[in-house]
Amino acid sequence: MFEGYAGTSDSGFRDEVEAEDALARGQYLADMSTDGDRPALSGPAGAEAEARLAEFARQAVFDGQVVTDEVRLRRIVARHDPHLYPGTFLTCVYNPDRALCRTPSGPAQTPLMADCQPLACRNAALTTDNRQALERHLASLDTALAGGEGLAPYVRHRLQEQRHETASFLTRHTPEPTP
Ligand code: SF4
């Protein structure tokens, strides 16, 4: 519904929404880069996420402070967008060449988060919040399976598959505890 409204009635509206999203994302990422207590991102693209954050901080952070002037920050994001997209279950470290959400005819500039394949895509990185969200998802699958006496065999099988994939992913990408 939003797509139709933004796409047909006023294309300038879409640009405005995207610019606001980019600014909010830039502020979030710049804040993240200044958090010295933050555990490093893990996951397939965790190291790349950290490298992009560090590079972005070189542009958007001065003397440990994020640029507060909105016009300036907008300009910085426009020129030095790290193309990191925070989500609930993952942080997308967007690289179109390996994006599983992309279709040949779709736009290349941004990920299609609604079609994300978080457990399979090499663009996925995990913050602590992302990992906790995946752990909650795993627990909800356990609950559904434990109480699912009457589940249809196909549904039970799909839930078991999801459980296995989620647990394996978390095992593979849980960082070693710091000594
Ligand atoms: S599938 Fe997910 S992680 Fe991969 S590029 Fe798309 S949104 Fe990012």
Side-chain angles (χ1 to χ4, degrees):
M1 188 164 66
F2 175 84
E3 179 73 15
Y5 176 69
T8 57
S9 62
D10 180 3
S11 60
F13 178 73
R14 172 187 288 281
D15 292 344
E16 218 170 286
V17 170
E18 286 177 358
E20 288 310 308
D21 284 352
L23 176 65
R25 191 166 50 81
Q27 283 167 328
Y28 175 84
L29 294 170
D31 286 343
M32 200 170 162
S33 71
T34 60
D35 181 355
D37 297 329
R38 176 183 62 80
L41 282 96
S42 59
E48 189 174 347
E50 288 297 336
R52 290 191 193 186
L53 269 181
E55 180 55 36
F56 185 56
R58 274 194 274 281
Q59 311 296 333
V61 179
F62 294 92
D63 291 334
Q65 302 294 315
V66 177
V67 168
T68 51
D69 180 85
E70 268 197 18
V71 175
R72 196 165 156 218
L73 189 55
R74 278 179 203 281
R75 207 178 307 129
I76 291 170
V77 175
R79 284 187 191 155
H80 306 281
D81 191 332
H83 292 290
L84 296 174
Y85 297 85
T88 303
F89 293 107
L90 89 167
T91 300
C92 175
V93 186
Y94 190 58
N95 179 330
D97 296 340
R98 59 188 190 208
L100 295 186
C101 56
R102 268 197 73 200
T103 57
S105 56
Q109 302 91 328
T110 54
L112 297 171
M113 299 290 276
D115 293 331
C116 182
Q117 299 181 44
L119 305 182
C121 187
R122 287 187 294 141
N123 287 344
L126 300 175
T127 61
T128 302
D129 284 350
N130 294 148
R131 247 193 329 277
Q132 287 170 349
L134 283 170
E135 282 161 5
R136 283 195 297 277
H137 177 60
L138 189 61
S140 74
L141 290 171
D142 282 338
T143 305
L145 282 164
E149 295 294 313
L151 288 175
Y154 169 75
V155 175
R156 171 172 288 279
H157 178 66
R158 280 297 302 136
L159 290 176
Q160 283 168 334
E161 273 185 348
Q162 270 190 40
R163 194 209 175 279
H164 174 70
E165 287 165 12
T166 307
S168 305
F169 182 83
L170 280 167
T171 302
R172 283 198 309 278
H173 300 297
T174 295
E176 298 290 325
T178 41

